[in-house]
Amino acid sequence: MSDFSPNVCSVRAGDNFLQTLADALREGLLPGRDGARAALEPIPLAEWTVLLPTRRACRAFQDVLLRGSGSSAVLLPRIRPLSDVDDQSELLSGAVSESAMLGAYLGADLDAGPGEMRVPPPPAVPDLERRLVLMQFVMTWLESVDETGDVDRDPSMSAITRISPAQAAALANDLARLMDEIEIEGADLSRLAESMPPEFAQHWQRTLDFLDVATQAFPAYLSQTGRTTRAARATRLLRDEAGRISGGHVRRRILIAGIASLSAQTRPLIEAVARFENGVLVLPGLDRDLDDAAWDTLGASHPEHPQSGLCDVLRAVGITRTDVRELQTPRAEIARYDGQAARVRLLSEAMRPAATTGAWQGFAARSDRAEIDAALSGISLLDAPTAQDEADAVAIALREALETPGRSAALVTPDRTLARRVSARLAAWNIQIDDSAGRPLLKTVPGTFLDLILACFDDHFSPRTVAALLKHPLTRLGLSAGAVRRAAGALELLAFRQVYLGSGLDAIRASLMRASVSPVGDSTIVHRAVSRLSAEDREAASALLSQLEVATAPMREIEQVGAPVPLRALVRAHLEVAEALSRREDTGEAADGSAAQDLWRGEAGEAAADVLAELLEEESADLPIVAADYAAIFRALIGGQVVRPRRPMHPRLAILGPLEARLQTADLIVLAGLNDGKWPRLANPDPWINRPMRADVGLPAPEQRIGMAAHDFVQLAAAPRVILTRAERIDGTPTVPSRWLMRIEAVLRGVDRADALRADPAAGEAWLAWSEIAGRVGDHRPISAPRPRPPVALRPRRMSVTRVESWLANPYSVYARSILKLSPLDPLEAPPDASIRGRIIHEAVHRFTVQYPGALPDAAADKLVAIADEILIAYVAHPRVAAFWRPRLRRFAEWFAQTEGARRDGVAKMLTEVDGARTLSAPGGDFTLTARADRIDASDKGLVIYDYKSGTAPSVAQVTSGVSPQLPLEAAIAEVGGFDGLDAVPVQRLVYISAGGGTPAGEERWITKASPAELAARSLASLSALVAQYDDPATDYRAVRRGQFAGAYRYDDYAHLARVAEWSVAEGGDE
Amino acid sequence: MSSALTSSAGETGVPPAVMAETAVNQARAAEPDASVWVSANAGTGKTYVLTRRVLRLLLAGTEPDRLLCLTYTNAAAAEMSRRVFDELAKWAVSPPDELAVALAALEGAPVGDDMLARAPTLFARAIEAPGGLKVQTIHAFCERLLQRFPLEAGVTPEFEIMDEDTQRQVLRQCIDQVLDSAAQPGDAPLHAALKTAVAFAADGQFDALLDAVLRRRDTLVDLLQSEGDENAEHDARLGGIDGGLRARLGVGANATQVGLTAQQADVLSPADARRAADVLAEGTKTDVARGAMIVAVSNEADAARQVVL
């Protein structure tokens, strides 16, 4: 062990860390021990090994070095990442696995100590295997809980044992994280049992049992297979290396830079390098403003303080702040901005440890206001009303930065949604900039494709999921892009845009077969879009479905087996399905499987291929699971995968997460999403161990992460130009500002600068106002109700009595339906609806009447039900038809059988579903009124005209007043002998029969207020007037909402087309 | 005291005596030693009282992480945090003399040196309280509780809360599944239940009905369990509900609808009712209609009475 003091220096907050470090290395400016220069001549870069906290920082450092070397060739130092203890911990392990031993990795291969035999640590278990094995252990544990009968004693356990393998996968992920944290922090779970308070012993015993998976079962598995975890391997390698450095076996120069905290894992190496004669530690932004008394409280009692990690480092190395030298380079000195020192001082004051904030009073009393103003000169705060406003304003600020040539800008935020919004905003200005924090694999194009395949199985090939899969850009099924899209469109029209029953691919096939045959026997229901499809389109749709059946066969076969199969088999089937679905058309060129290229192309495609390949190779993928659980397991296993862009997409702009931003800088830094709970992120409650237990086993307080985030924040906030932003409301919910913002604002309030941080629109900081202008629409004039006036020649000369009702209620519907000939498509997967129910009832009563025209048969109700069942059978697969329609039909049938005798009394002739017409003369030529009467009974007293209503029948008042003229108009047709098979006979009565089957089950409503003849005359007169009115070219088919027709608008198919919502508000609804 | 922490009731044109009484009540409600139930109209200063209570608790030395404030809405939680932090921030940087005045106003008496020393640090200590100063909605609190104790609660760690759309979808799927089995003919109770229900509600109405029932499922389960033996037959337990309802409404076990109608009719004697109807018949159009209604009701009651007799 050497006896000189550690060589530690710091780069000032606000200086460009990596640039300063590069300059110092290149120009030999790194301070040597005792203040002396390390060397008069710069040491060649290649002799250095530089360890930086993240991989990204390594890349950035390399770029800085290359940029600085101009055109001359240069040998770079070895630059390696030394991960921090955080989500990026795999970076370290990833780096370590690149070489078998860290010795070689550090470049100390030249000088292994004589006679020293170093046993390499065992290889690390791959991450995926670890999660799969843990998952199996978790499931075994759950089963054992079942067997011990714990469930009987404690009902709460039953829910746990019902956990699916997918949930077990999530539990395994949690356990893996905990195990890593324990390894990195050098904690010991076995201390847990001792620290357990006895009164809770029984309760915690279960947790302990569960944690045995981590403490016993998994380590046993590792030692059996002769391996270790990545984290444990890294610990071992770092410790070995630290030993070699301390033992004097390393001659290279080693620099650890940018480390702002310490873990049990990194501690030995950091200590060794600090004491190593050729070792240097360069810290980021050591705080020299905080008073010593406050500094001394850092560490364990204030883990949330930005400098606590650095304080730990200094203590570990055994020095104080005064022993740390400032790293100065000429470039850094030139680059410093006015007020940098003041800004750093202000930030330090604002972040002061909570227990010492009594000092703020004094700070407020004595601080120099001019200095405060200098500190605030380059930093401003923007409170946006909503998250969208925040994104818009940030995008504008970034865009503005580009106006100055050479200026760089970075958005740093932990909020990925915000990042996506900003990136979309910038894309609108043709600035392509990806979020460097990456996208979850499942949200990428190949990810959604793989996921949609699983979704199809999840919801049994429901139309909406199948339609989504067939329209996915990767879906080709051996066809050209155009052909597959066209066939998918035809399939959708034929099979999905109608009443849909059942599930699975068979249901799609059945629906396709049914496409042109209506079970009610009424083929006029087919939509024009369907009837227009060519024979080729229909064939293509059918062929596409066959292709889909073939392509999905591998997974369907496994699904049908039902029994558990090895995970591997499911992965393989998934892969086969994906490749079959994405197979391109056969062009005869490449027969080498290049067909699946598209799927595995690009960063996301390669990531997906990697993860699937890994799953296939995994021995532990023998885990038996049932097909139904596969989707959730797949999502749990690859859900955490993030696809990051390999290279920054824009030379001057960047969108970064706080981790990516560590040690980075830009001319303009935007720190966005500064709300409580978001930044810093609130520590999630740990499901296994609570706060005191963490301390007992040697894990750091959850607030340590907050301290590290705070350090990142302060370093970034010290940049020359900084914009801090937050949204006052997110999804309509008011937010609380980030704790750091509140601290800064509190301190500023004390020095009478309460609002000085706010962005000042007058000083060129009007980003919000600008984004508002960018999004502003000119004067908004709501449109008025449409009033189309088509030529009289195009207006209908023929109309059914039911259409007349909608003509009265809303002329626009006549225009849209009869003149434009538009009709709405059914929604995807439409359930059987009221109109079908109406048709079924009509059809059933019609058939019954035809079958039993005279006296009622015995058990008439049963016979009617039997007839109805013949029709219903097509729909009975739908649970609601079986549950509601049949019982209600039965109730109606009973009522009908009971009352039908009276209706038939004295009737000579009964006609059902009878067509009729009557021609009116009008200014524009003859106009034909048509009708299909549900039922007309003829007796010597005259005709009785019936109409069956499955819903609510119109009231007598509605009929009498002319709002519902259907029956009066039918009477008008009947009285001139307009119905087939009936002479001109006076109409005796008009009757509605409600056939709802509810309470009451049926009801007759006689229209008795006026005589049928009088009603007929009146309705005919009104209709003639209406026809005449519309024979005037000046009359428009306006869209209206009339109070007395309120009920008619509930099913207005053209409300959207007529933009009713827009003008009905403005006009106050009524005419 | 020139404090922004004022009750919004202060700006209304309320008489001084009422204001004074309100102030006294508010001060009593903010007394940290007392357990208090405050019921007051919107805008009369409930949040103000709660904020003062929190401030006084903190001032008295309660650790910020030992406080839990539950609200019903996110907006209320955010508002309360804002007010607490706002006041604490002021304490953090006020000159000592101003601080003393503010604290005395809050406590209703001059405060000691310990409080004067503690007050300025409370802002940062509340901000840095482990897990934050817990002012949250009851939903957020429950969610966190479940996340903390998944094994105990029998829920999956890392569970997510369903959004309303998914909730509706899942509910519909469940209803369809139950309907599927209920529609199977036979004498299963479920089938019988469906037959009963279908006369009153189908399709959309049925979903709405079930939704209403599910919202009160705890009450219904209680009723089923309290009024009938858990192992009793289905009908017996429904009988239990019937009994429960009768007890609740104060209706005898043997009372029938007809009997009750007659009972109600006896509130007025037939003669009184006729007289009232006659008087009303002289009045306005509405009165005449009401008179007719009384006559109709009396007639029905007469009929009912005859049945009972």
Side-chain angles (χ1 to χ4, degrees):
Chain A
M1 174 75 76
S2 34
D3 57 356
F4 35 64
S5 67
N7 190 3
V8 182
C9 47
S10 162
V11 174
R12 244 193 235 192
D15 286 0
N16 183 336
F17 185 92
L18 293 178
Q19 184 69 59
T20 305
L21 188 66
D23 291 345
L25 270 185
R26 215 174 5 227
E27 293 159 30
L29 299 175
L30 276 177
R33 291 174 199 289
D34 311 319
R37 283 279 159 90
L40 289 174
E41 287 298 308
I43 296 155
L45 289 180
E47 285 183 24
W48 285 98
T49 294
V50 181
L51 295 173
L52 289 163
T54 64
R55 212 168 257 267
R56 194 183 174 88
C58 292
R59 254 196 328 260
F61 185 54
Q62 195 171 326
D63 287 349
V64 170
L65 282 174
L66 289 173
R67 223 181 305 132
S69 65
S71 53
S72 58
V74 60
L75 267 178
L76 289 180
R78 302 191 182 197
I79 308 170
R80 299 285 186 268
L82 178 71
S83 171
D84 266 318
V85 188
D86 52 36
D87 298 339
Q88 305 290 301
S89 51
E90 78 269 15
L91 287 181
L92 171 66
S93 30
V96 170
S97 65
E98 280 170 11
S99 58
M101 300 174 67
L102 192 63
Y105 165 73
L106 288 179
D109 39 343
L110 303 172
D111 41 16
E116 192 176 335
M117 280 295 292
R118 282 180 296 134
V119 185
V125 62
D127 192 44
L128 197 61
E129 178 182 343
R130 177 163 74 145
R131 284 193 286 168
L132 281 170
V133 171
L134 279 175
M135 191 178 127
Q136 277 165 293
F137 285 155
V138 167
M139 287 169 74
T140 317
W141 178 77
L142 291 174
E143 280 159 24
S144 72
V145 171
D146 243 351
E147 282 159 16
T148 55
D150 239 13
V151 178
D152 297 333
R153 287 198 300 276
D154 181 353
S156 75
M157 284 307 291
S158 60
I160 278 291
T161 52
R162 279 199 301 272
I163 279 178
S164 68
Q167 290 167 325
L171 279 176
N173 281 353
D174 276 352
L175 263 186
R177 235 193 322 272
L178 179 66
M179 287 166 69
D180 281 347
E181 206 187 352
I182 283 166
E183 175 59 44
I184 288 166
E185 299 297 346
D188 183 1
L189 268 190
S190 67
R191 271 184 265 159
L192 209 51
E194 301 152 27
S195 72
M196 211 68 75
E199 62 269 35
F200 301 132
Q202 200 188 347
H203 163 90
W204 285 110
Q205 192 56 44
R206 184 180 298 150
T207 302
L208 281 183
D209 286 350
F210 181 75
L211 289 177
D212 272 353
V213 172
T215 54
Q216 316 279 327
F218 192 70
Y221 169 82
L222 284 180
S223 66
Q224 264 167 32
T225 56
R227 283 173 307 172
T228 179
T229 64
R230 283 176 179 233
R233 188 178 146 85
T235 307
R236 163 83 191 277
L237 291 168
L238 288 171
R239 205 186 46 229
D240 286 358
E241 189 53 29
R244 283 173 14 81
I245 292 171
S246 318
H249 301 300
V250 175
R251 258 181 252 135
R252 281 182 70 87
R253 291 170 186 274
I254 301 183
L255 173 67
I256 299 186
I259 302 292
S261 66
L262 204 61
S263 70
Q265 191 177 53
T266 53
R267 184 188 201 105
L269 185 70
I270 289 174
E271 284 175 355
V273 170
R275 299 209 172 84
F276 178 43
E277 67 180 320
N278 285 335
V280 188
L281 239 54
V282 182
L283 306 178
L286 182 70
D287 185 343
R288 299 177 185 280
D289 298 308
L290 192 65
D291 56 278
D292 283 336
W295 179 266
D296 290 339
T297 68
L298 297 186
S301 56
H302 280 296
E304 78 286 347
H305 191 272
Q307 297 277 325
S308 267
L310 287 176
C311 181
D312 287 343
V313 172
L314 295 195
R315 285 183 190 152
V317 177
I319 57 171
T320 64
R321 280 188 291 172
T322 47
D323 300 325
V324 178
R325 280 172 287 271
E326 198 89 344
L327 195 56
Q328 303 270 17
T329 64
R331 195 203 301 255
E333 271 160 53
I334 293 166
R336 269 178 208 148
Y337 58 93
D338 295 340
Q340 178 171 340
R343 173 100 60 84
V344 172
R345 200 149 41 236
L346 177 69
L347 288 169
S348 162
E349 192 57 42
M351 293 293 175
R352 140 187 304 288
T356 69
T357 47
W360 279 350
Q361 282 180 340
F363 176 80
R366 62 163 195 278
S367 77
D368 176 359
R369 302 302 193 254
E371 193 198 305
I372 298 289
D373 292 337
L376 295 177
S377 67
I379 184 167
S380 39
L381 165 68
L382 192 139
D383 274 323
T386 68
Q388 183 62 54
D389 295 326
E390 183 183 10
D392 289 351
V394 168
I396 291 220
L398 294 178
R399 176 69 188 76
E400 187 197 9
L402 288 185
E403 288 296 300
T404 313
R407 198 168 155 82
S408 64
L411 162 65
V412 183
T413 176
D415 183 345
R416 304 287 39 99
T417 311
L418 179 68
R420 250 197 329 272
R421 277 187 171 140
V422 172
S423 139
R425 239 350 187 171
L426 289 168
W429 294 317
N430 220 4
I431 299 169
Q432 303 300 331
I433 164 171
D434 264 359
D435 181 1
S436 307
R439 281 166 78 90
L441 179 54
L442 283 178
K443 301 269 182 223
T444 62
V445 172
T448 51
F449 180 69
L450 293 170
D451 197 52
L452 265 175
I453 294 172
L454 298 178
C456 279
F457 283 87
D458 258 0
D459 66 2
H460 312 287
F461 291 91
S462 82
R464 82 190 81 168
T465 318
V466 172
L469 177 64
L470 290 179
K471 290 176 179 176
H472 193 283
L474 283 172
T475 301
R476 295 291 285 275
L477 284 165
L479 298 169
S480 74
V484 74
R485 246 33 101 209
R486 195 182 167 102
L491 181 65
E492 178 184 327
L493 278 176
L494 287 165
F496 298 160
R497 296 280 179 182
Q498 60 167 337
V499 171
Y500 191 85
L501 301 163
S503 63
L505 284 172
D506 294 345
I508 301 181
R509 179 64 72 188
S511 189
L512 193 58
M513 306 290 276
R514 235 186 5 243
S516 46
V517 200
S518 162
V520 187
D522 190 352
S523 58
T524 60
I525 312 298
V526 176
H527 195 278
R528 283 162 56 91
V530 174
S531 54
R532 262 197 214 135
L533 287 174
S534 68
E536 290 84 54
D537 284 333
R538 286 164 193 268
E539 243 164 65
S542 175
L544 186 74
L545 182 56
S546 306
Q547 295 275 16
L548 185 65
E549 284 163 352
V550 173
T552 55
M555 283 180 76
R556 282 187 300 121
E557 279 159 18
I558 294 179
E559 196 180 39
Q560 273 154 19
V561 173
V565 297
L567 174 59
R568 185 203 316 274
L570 278 160
V571 175
R572 186 171 298 120
H574 189 187
L575 207 81
E576 283 169 19
V577 172
E579 295 198 336
L581 275 167
S582 62
R583 191 168 57 83
R584 284 158 157 261
E585 72 269 36
D586 212 354
T587 51
E589 287 166 20
D592 58 345
S594 66
Q597 257 179 6
D598 283 351
L599 174 55
W600 311 124
R601 194 176 285 164
E603 283 157 5
E606 285 167 24
D610 285 350
V611 84
L612 286 176
E614 205 182 328
L615 267 174
L616 275 181
E617 285 159 17
E618 202 48 67
E619 273 182 38
S620 46
D622 287 334
L623 174 71
I625 58 168
V626 289
D629 285 329
Y630 172 66
I633 291 178
F634 179 80
R635 287 174 191 140
L637 286 177
I638 80 160
Q641 299 267 337
V642 171
V643 183
R644 288 189 177 80
R646 283 192 198 117
R647 282 276 146 193
M649 293 188 68
H650 197 282
R652 286 160 59 198
L653 290 189
I655 299 182
L656 308 164
L659 275 169
E660 283 84 26
R662 198 167 275 176
L663 303 187
Q664 314 269 325
T665 190
D667 298 328
L668 168 69
I669 295 271
V670 182
L671 303 175
L674 280 166
N675 274 331
D676 185 47
K678 280 269 192 269
W679 202 5
R681 204 179 293 279
L682 250 160
N684 257 336
D686 198 321
W688 318 121
I689 27 184
N690 62 22
R691 188 178 290 274
M693 285 159 72
R694 280 182 74 92
D696 284 340
V697 300
L699 286 173
E703 281 69 38
Q704 201 187 54
R705 275 162 197 275
I706 292 177
M708 286 157 65
H711 186 261
D712 292 337
F713 171 78
V714 170
Q715 295 305 299
L716 290 164
R721 187 72 189 97
V722 177
I723 306 173
L724 312 167
T725 73
R726 63 176 286 258
E728 285 164 344
R729 285 174 170 268
I730 288 180
D731 299 333
T733 306
T735 57
V736 175
S738 162
R739 59 180 72 190
W740 305 320
L741 271 188
M742 287 204 283
R743 277 170 165 273
I744 294 171
E745 293 203 298
V747 168
L748 288 179
R749 190 190 319 212
V751 294
D752 314 316
R753 293 293 184 274
D755 290 320
L757 198 55
R758 316 249 144 204
D760 179 6
E765 302 183 334
W767 307 290
L768 258 182
W770 292 338
S771 75
E772 215 169 275
I773 292 168
R776 189 177 295 159
V777 191
D779 282 343
H780 173 62
R781 303 244 309 275
I783 69 148
S784 50
R787 299 172 151 201
R789 270 190 292 263
V792 173
L794 293 177
R795 302 189 180 191
R797 306 308 309 167
R798 184 183 179 87
M799 198 174 293
S800 72
V801 289
T802 46
R803 286 283 150 76
V804 170
E805 287 193 7
S806 54
W807 192 3
L808 289 169
N810 182 18
Y812 189 82
S813 69
V814 170
Y815 171 73
R817 189 192 310 270
S818 305
I819 300 174
L820 296 182
K821 305 206 188 306
L822 297 172
S823 57
L825 278 174
D826 277 339
L828 283 175
E829 214 173 336
D833 62 1
S835 76
I836 290 182
R837 186 159 156 260
R839 294 211 296 271
I840 291 173
I841 289 170
H842 279 86
E843 182 69 14
V845 180
H846 166 62
R847 288 191 199 169
F848 177 83
T849 319
V850 169
Q851 217 169 325
Y852 307 104
L856 278 183
D858 293 338
D862 291 343
K863 295 205 159 65
L864 178 55
V865 168
I867 290 172
D869 271 351
E870 286 169 24
I871 311 162
L872 263 175
I873 196 79
Y875 296 106
V876 90
H878 199 276
R880 277 158 197 262
V881 171
F884 298 133
W885 293 14
R886 283 179 97 184
R888 285 209 153 188
L889 238 158
R890 165 103 229 159
R891 287 170 57 84
F892 169 70
E894 276 159 14
W895 175 88
F896 185 80
Q898 248 170 41
T899 52
E900 180 65 3
R903 274 188 295 275
R904 292 193 179 184
D905 190 30
V907 169
K909 186 174 172 188
M910 271 170 42
L911 295 171
T912 59
E913 302 283 317
V914 53
D915 289 326
R918 178 170 177 173
T919 305
L920 317 175
S921 48
D926 283 353
F927 184 92
T928 309
L929 175 69
T930 66
R932 172 172 290 177
D934 286 350
R935 168 173 171 182
I936 303 179
D937 288 4
S939 71
D940 49 5
K941 289 183 200 140
L943 303 177
V944 180
I945 304 182
Y946 292 100
D947 193 66
Y948 298 109
K949 289 284 180 206
S950 57
T952 320
S955 68
V956 175
Q958 281 172 321
V959 176
T960 323
S961 68
V963 169
S964 299
Q966 182 192 353
L967 281 179
L969 286 173
E970 286 181 10
I973 295 172
E975 64 185 15
V976 294
F979 279 106
D980 298 348
L982 282 175
D983 297 329
V985 181
V987 178
Q988 184 201 350
R989 197 184 304 132
L990 304 175
V991 182
Y992 276 113
I993 293 182
S994 301
T999 312
E1003 196 180 14
E1004 280 187 18
R1005 180 168 289 163
W1006 294 15
I1007 310 301
T1008 50
K1009 227 172 182 175
S1011 76
E1014 190 192 334
L1015 287 173
R1018 258 199 267 156
S1019 63
L1020 205 58
S1022 308
L1023 177 62
S1024 297
L1026 189 67
V1027 174
Q1029 192 191 345
Y1030 277 85
D1031 279 347
D1032 176 356
T1035 307
D1036 56 53
Y1037 287 91
R1038 60 197 307 190
V1040 291
R1041 286 293 183 259
R1042 294 179 170 130
Q1044 70 267 39
F1045 293 102
Y1049 303 123
R1050 241 186 308 159
Y1051 304 107
D1052 182 358
D1053 290 332
Y1054 307 103
H1056 193 208
L1057 186 66
R1059 295 165 73 169
V1060 172
E1062 276 175 69
W1063 49 260
S1064 61
V1065 183
E1067 289 181 8
D1070 238 33
E1071 275 193 299
Chain B
M1 179 177 84
S2 66
S3 169
L5 182 74
T6 52
S7 154
S8 46
E11 283 109 46
T12 57
V14 182
V18 176
M19 287 300 300
E21 193 192 336
T22 306
V24 169
N25 281 336
Q26 286 178 337
R28 277 175 56 208
E31 200 68 57
D33 295 340
S35 295
V36 180
W37 175 288
V38 177
S39 164
N41 286 330
T44 52
K46 289 190 297 296
T47 310
Y48 166 72
V49 167
L50 282 172
T51 310
R52 279 182 61 170
R53 225 180 138 79
V54 171
L55 290 173
R56 293 187 61 181
L57 280 166
L58 290 172
L59 204 53
T62 309
E63 286 300 322
D65 60 323
R66 308 291 296 174
L67 285 176
L68 175 64
C69 313
L70 295 182
T71 65
Y72 203 72
T73 63
N74 280 314
E79 174 62 16
M80 200 165 147
S81 306
R82 194 189 62 76
R83 288 207 209 177
V84 169
F85 282 128
D86 221 46
E87 190 65 10
L88 291 179
K90 239 177 284 168
W91 293 356
V93 291
S94 294
D97 46 338
E98 279 178 31
L99 181 63
V101 173
L103 297 185
L106 179 71
E107 288 288 325
V111 299
D113 285 346
D114 57 331
M115 281 194 182
L116 268 179
R118 188 180 296 126
T121 66
L122 284 175
F123 171 72
R125 284 173 47 202
I127 276 187
E128 306 294 0
L133 183 68
K134 288 171 206 74
V135 184
Q136 51 197 199
T137 63
I138 186 144
H139 302 90
F141 172 71
C142 294
E143 197 181 324
R144 257 182 112 69
L145 203 62
L146 290 176
Q147 279 171 351
R148 277 299 315 269
F149 301 103
L151 284 181
E152 292 79 355
V155 297
T156 321
E158 292 185 24
F159 64 90
E160 278 171 45
I161 306 288
M162 257 189 231
D163 62 33
E164 278 182 26
D165 219 36
T166 323
Q167 221 171 312
R168 253 195 305 278
Q169 262 182 36
V170 171
L171 179 62
R172 201 183 152 95
Q173 274 170 16
C174 293
I175 292 178
D176 280 1
Q177 268 174 27
V178 174
L179 285 178
D180 236 358
S181 59
Q184 304 303 320
D187 17 294
L190 204 54
H191 187 61
L194 179 64
K195 261 167 90 176
T196 311
V198 106
F200 301 101
D203 295 318
Q205 286 169 308
F206 186 81
D207 287 19
L209 179 73
L210 268 190
D211 196 44
V213 168
L214 284 173
R215 278 175 202 286
R216 293 178 176 73
R217 70 179 144 221
D218 290 346
T219 318
L220 287 170
V221 168
D222 283 354
L223 218 47
L224 277 170
Q225 279 169 355
S226 63
E227 299 298 335
D229 179 4
E230 213 180 307
N231 300 318
E233 284 302 303
H234 179 75
D235 284 351
R237 289 167 68 189
L238 284 182
I241 290 189
D242 184 59
L245 281 175
R246 281 172 188 274
R248 189 71 187 258
L249 296 171
V251 176
N254 299 316
T256 62
Q257 193 184 348
V258 174
L260 287 174
T261 312
Q263 225 174 22
Q264 293 295 307
D266 284 342
V267 174
L268 277 183
S269 75
D272 286 342
R274 301 258 185 277
R275 208 159 39 245
D278 288 348
V279 172
L280 286 171
E282 308 282 307
T284 63
K285 202 177 153 193
T286 329
D287 290 341
V288 173
R290 282 187 186 142
M293 205 187 297
I294 291 181
V295 173
V297 172
S298 314
N299 290 342
E300 198 173 316
D302 283 346
R305 224 174 265 125
Q306 274 156 18
V307 172
V308 174
L309 293 173

